[in-house]
Amino acid sequence: MQAWFTEHAIVQNGSTWLVRRIWGRATEPTLITLRDAFPEAKVSFQRATSSA
């Protein structure tokens, strides 16, 4: 299982969205779909690396 984090909340039309850490196998494809659907938001992400 991968860990995912956001540095900033996503605020849109009065709603606040956060990406929770620990998502499943569809996390990366879902983030890619969201990023590509809303290029004007200039959202980026990267896979977290383990420090262990």
Side-chain angles (χ1 to χ4, degrees), residues 2-52:
Q2 303 276 332
W4 300 84
F5 304 90
T6 58
E7 292 183 28
H8 306 285
I10 300 167
V11 180
Q12 180 183 18
N13 298 328
S15 295
T16 303
W17 303 86
L18 295 172
V19 178
R20 295 185 62 145
R21 59 187 207 115
I22 314 299
W23 279 19
R25 295 176 195 230
T27 299
E28 192 166 6
T30 300
L31 291 174
I32 290 168
T33 299
L34 289 168
R35 180 199 63 202
D36 294 348
F38 304 99
E40 68 280 1
K42 299 180 182 171
V43 172
S44 64
F45 64 92
Q46 64 184 30
R47 193 176 292 199
T49 56
S50 174
S51 60

